[in-house]
Amino acid sequence: MIERPNAVIDLGDNTSRFGTPPAALRVFADAGPGDASEYPAPDAGALRAALAEVHGVPPARVVTGCGSDDVIECAIRAFAREGERLAFAAPTFSMIPEFARNQRMEAVPVPFLPDGAWPVDTLLAARPHVLYLCAPNNPTGHVPGGDLERLLACGAGLVILDQAYAEFAGRMRIEAPEHPRLLVTRTLSKAYGLAGLRIGYGVASEAVIGRIGRVRGPYRIGRLAERAAVAALREDHGWAHAHVALARAARAALSAALEAAGFRPHASEANFVLLPLAGAAAVARRMLALGVRVRAFTGLPGSGDALRITVGPPPEMDAALRALAAATGEAADAVALRRADR
Ligand SMILES: *Cc1c(COP(=O)(O)O)cnc(C)c1O
């Protein structure tokens, strides 16, 4: 049995492994007592202005929240009632069925088509009150094909397009169809390396933003978090860009190394790689004992058991590959031993 090391390399949550925007850290160094004793701005106006500038939309089309989780959940609360349907292509972000449950909605998971495209017809046939789409999708990492315009054009409910990983697919700016019922969500938790601040946002029509705003209420974002986020957006766009480039290079190297080792990773446009692997949960436990945390999934539609590995700098990827080889080797040894026992 190997001791669990003190310093675990955490490749389980897709947060940034490439550091923190320096302008955001300066804000914390310069903090004063009022930043703790006074309320923040009720609707994070400075942050909305900065985000509006990044994406080239009016501030009235931006809503912020305590992580994009919060924006998504507020949107669901604003648009759906108990008993209504929340449809999504499966597998996807694990919080979505939970949000449906919290709202006493009916979750309607529809498997992706075999080629990874949106199951457009089946999603539309579900007549959802809220349709959740994620691109690049978590945990598969792919950008689904299929007719997004048709998904938007049909039905009367809210469509959420979760772009938490879009920067890693080469989209620093939101490019989404103009549609009155579409909410595009993003986060500073991934490409901007600020998961600890809990800053998420959405861009939509003014009508959708207004409706979410009434559910959201004031003060979702702390003073220092807002100021640090604004500093990162205004001063560290280059930092984020460079970090994304490093993550993309690390992703390509990780995928190539996994393939060279005989694995079959999914092609990814995000900052993680999904690796179908029988017995993934046991492998993840062994990897953790070796100092590397990854996320295990059991019985994913279309993939079965799988590991999701966040991409990080080369030394972390080397450690992950070594732990994976040792953990799967140990598993193979255990199977061989069991066979020998018989
Ligand atoms: C990480 C993630 C988020 C972002 O969560 P935050 O609440 O903004 O930290 C949103 N959607 C998906 C699919 C994610 O993987």
Side-chain angles (χ1 to χ4, degrees):
M1 197 53 205
I2 300 148
E3 289 278 307
R4 184 168 163 178
N6 308 327
V8 169
I9 299 173
D10 193 343
L11 307 178
D13 291 328
N14 304 335
T15 50
S16 169
R17 302 302 304 171
F18 295 91
T20 312
L25 291 180
R26 279 198 297 276
V27 166
F28 286 97
D30 295 344
D35 290 316
S37 61
E38 301 303 319
Y39 279 114
D43 71 343
L47 177 57
R48 282 172 51 227
L51 290 165
E53 206 170 299
V54 167
H55 295 293
V57 296
R61 291 190 49 203
V62 180
V63 65
T64 61
C66 179
S68 53
D69 281 13
D70 181 39
V71 175
I72 293 167
E73 188 155 35
C74 286
I76 292 171
R77 278 187 8 239
F79 278 84
R81 285 180 306 222
E82 184 171 340
E84 295 188 334
R85 287 176 301 282
L86 196 173
F88 52 91
T92 197
F93 190 30
S94 58
M95 294 302 292
I96 299 306
E98 278 189 41
F99 292 157
R101 234 184 337 269
N102 293 349
Q103 246 347 73
R104 299 175 197 280
M105 294 181 75
E106 183 192 343
V108 184
V110 179
F112 281 102
L113 298 180
D115 66 356
W118 305 115
V120 175
D121 292 324
T122 320
L123 285 172
L124 293 177
R127 294 187 296 113
H129 302 83
V130 177
L131 175 60
Y132 172 84
L133 307 168
C134 186
N137 185 52
N138 181 4
T140 54
H142 79 299
V143 175
D147 197 339
L148 182 61
E149 302 284 345
R150 241 185 91 214
L151 284 170
L152 288 172
C154 292
L158 177 71
V159 180
I160 300 171
L161 179 58
D162 184 338
Q163 295 192 340
Y165 300 99
E167 292 91 346
F168 302 102
R171 304 276 157 99
M172 295 303 283
R173 266 172 70 126
I174 293 175
E175 300 160 39
E178 290 284 324
H179 190 278
R181 287 179 292 100
L182 174 66
L183 169 69
V184 179
T185 60
R186 287 204 176 191
T187 178
L188 299 195
S189 295
K190 310 288 162 61
Y192 273 88
L194 294 172
L197 299 191
R198 308 303 301 124
I199 306 245
Y201 61 99
V203 173
S205 65
E206 280 187 46
V208 166
I209 295 296
R211 215 159 138 180
I212 297 171
R214 285 193 288 281
V215 167
R216 174 193 183 273
Y219 308 135
R220 298 301 262 215
I221 292 176
R223 291 172 72 98
L224 285 174
E226 178 178 12
R227 212 183 308 143
V230 169
L233 289 165
R234 294 215 188 275
E235 298 167 45
D236 285 336
H237 189 74
W239 179 95
H241 221 278
H243 155 208
V244 164
L246 290 173
R248 285 161 62 100
R251 176 178 77 202
L254 174 64
S255 299
L258 287 169
E259 277 169 18
F263 295 105
R264 291 272 163 277
H266 281 270
S268 172
E269 303 248 27
N271 70 337
F272 56 83
V273 170
L274 188 74
L275 181 65
L277 185 65
V283 172
R285 275 196 299 276
R286 288 190 202 97
M287 288 178 72
L288 183 59
L290 296 167
V292 179
R293 182 173 168 260
V294 297
R295 180 71 62 91
F297 295 89
T298 305
L300 286 181
S303 300
D305 296 353
L307 291 182
R308 193 192 64 196
I309 307 171
T310 303
V311 303
E316 296 193 349
M317 297 295 89
D318 291 345
L321 287 162
R322 276 198 306 276
L324 175 65
T328 51
E330 209 180 289
D333 289 348
V335 170
L337 279 176
R338 272 204 297 280
R339 284 213 188 92
D341 279 349
R342 281 202 218 110

